[in-house]
Amino acid sequence: MLKAKYNMELPKYILGDNTDLPNAIFVIHTEFPRFIINLEDDEVEWFEDFDQHDEKELEMETENLIKEATAFYDREVARYDE
């Protein structure tokens, strides 16, 4: 039987892949605003619903979040090469 763990600590970013999309490289952002970015084409899927006020703030922050996700991926790949 699986036991739910409600206060599990997650890293801010997680790498993901899927054999159905062999060229895709996914980075999952686990903090608000939660999203997945496909680094193959920079497509972002948000897990949050935003109102108009949030959308304006999100537009300003999106570029920074994508840069952070890309830097995370680069760091992880560099660590694999070590």
Side-chain angles (χ1 to χ4, degrees), residues 21-76:
L21 301 167
N23 295 323
I25 300 168
F26 299 101
V27 176
I28 301 100
H29 182 257
T30 63
E31 297 176 359
F32 184 84
R34 297 171 302 148
F35 66 88
I36 294 178
I37 181 171
N38 180 348
L39 295 180
E40 177 186 26
D41 57 13
D42 291 337
E43 185 176 345
V44 176
E45 179 72 29
W46 299 97
F47 292 131
E48 315 291 353
D49 292 323
F50 303 105
D51 61 23
Q52 287 182 337
H53 177 295
D54 291 335
E55 286 181 15
K56 290 176 186 176
E57 193 173 314
L58 184 62
E59 286 176 17
M60 296 184 324
E61 185 65 19
T62 298
E63 185 176 344
N64 184 47
L65 291 170
I66 291 171
K67 286 180 183 178
E68 282 183 9
T70 302
F72 165 76
Y73 171 77
D74 291 341
R75 185 193 79 180
E76 292 297 298

Side-chain angles (χ1 to χ4, degrees), residues 1-6 8:
M1 179 177 196
L2 290 175
K3 188 174 186 179
K5 188 171 185 180
Y6 294 101
M8 179 190 329

Side-chain angles (χ1 to χ4, degrees), residues 6-25:
Y6 294 101
N7 293 321
M8 179 190 329
E9 284 190 42
L10 294 174
K12 184 174 182 178
Y13 292 102
I14 300 171
L15 287 179
D17 65 0
N18 188 299
T19 56
D20 291 334
L21 301 167
N23 295 323
I25 300 168

